[in-house]
Amino acid sequence: MNAYTLLPFIVLIAAMFLMTRSAKKKQQQAASMRNQMQPGSGVRTIGGMYATVKEVNEDTVLLDAAPGVDLLFAKNAIGAVLSDDEYNRIVHGIEHDLKSDTDIVPDDASSLTETDETDGSADAAAASDDKIDLGKKDAAEAGADDQPKKTDGDTDAK
């Protein structure tokens, strides 16, 4: 036999070995993650449900999905054990602010546009706050036109 005819078989066996090795490593990581579960931990099941671990047994886990709702799952059905910050962010919408000392962006843009008082822009800002005429009549002007206006079908004849 020639060495070139054995080369494809050798490559195939090496690829199979590497794939099974990585799959086995992932299974070991998942098993160690499931063994680290403790009561009070937030978890996500493989079905996508978020719950809190209430009790851990050898092959099962009792989960608290809602107040008064306890569910019994197999340990293999736990997809991920979440950190407290991540669980609170997903389930309760609570963001853990790591940068609490930084400036907070205001809701309006007034503080983002700085005006310099010395260049007269304060006068321009005050002038823009004056009332703008939108073509509406004041009450005094409206009283002068108390007579009803004629429409196409009205006449003065009685």
Side-chain angles (χ1 to χ4, degrees):
M1 283 190 126
N2 193 354
Y4 291 113
T5 57
L6 292 177
L7 186 64
F9 294 112
I10 295 171
V11 170
L12 183 62
I13 291 171
M16 289 174 47
F17 174 73
L18 291 175
M19 285 190 285
T20 57
R21 182 174 164 216
S22 65
K24 187 175 182 180
K25 191 180 287 187
K26 286 181 184 179
Q27 286 177 350
Q28 287 175 348
Q29 287 176 347
S32 68
M33 179 253 328
R34 289 183 187 114
N35 290 332
Q36 293 175 355
M37 277 190 298
Q38 299 174 358
S41 300
V43 295
R44 181 182 65 235
T45 65
I46 58 174
M49 183 183 72
Y50 293 92
T52 305
V53 176
K54 191 171 186 179
E55 182 180 317
V56 180
N57 298 321
E58 190 173 327
D59 293 331
T60 60
V61 179
L62 186 64
L63 299 178
D64 185 20
V69 179
D70 295 334
L71 303 169
L72 186 65
F73 275 82
K75 266 190 175 180
N76 293 339
I78 303 301
V81 177
L82 307 171
S83 66
D84 290 338
D85 292 338
E86 185 178 7
Y87 181 77
N88 287 331
R89 181 183 59 81
I90 293 170
V91 175
H92 303 294
I94 300 171
E95 292 287 336
H96 180 69
D97 190 15
L98 297 175
K99 300 176 182 177
S100 60
D101 296 336
T102 60
D103 294 336
I104 298 173
V105 177
D107 290 338
D108 61 345
S110 62
S111 65
L112 299 176
T113 57
E114 296 180 16
T115 57
D116 191 11
E117 299 295 328
T118 60
D119 64 355
S121 62
D123 296 339
S128 67
D129 289 341
D130 292 340
K131 289 185 179 179
I132 299 173
D133 183 23
L134 298 175
K136 295 183 180 179
K137 296 181 181 179
D138 291 338
E141 293 176 9
D145 273 341
D146 285 341
Q147 296 178 356
K149 295 184 178 180
K150 295 181 184 178
T151 59
D152 290 339
D154 291 340
T155 60
D156 288 333
K158 291 188 180 180

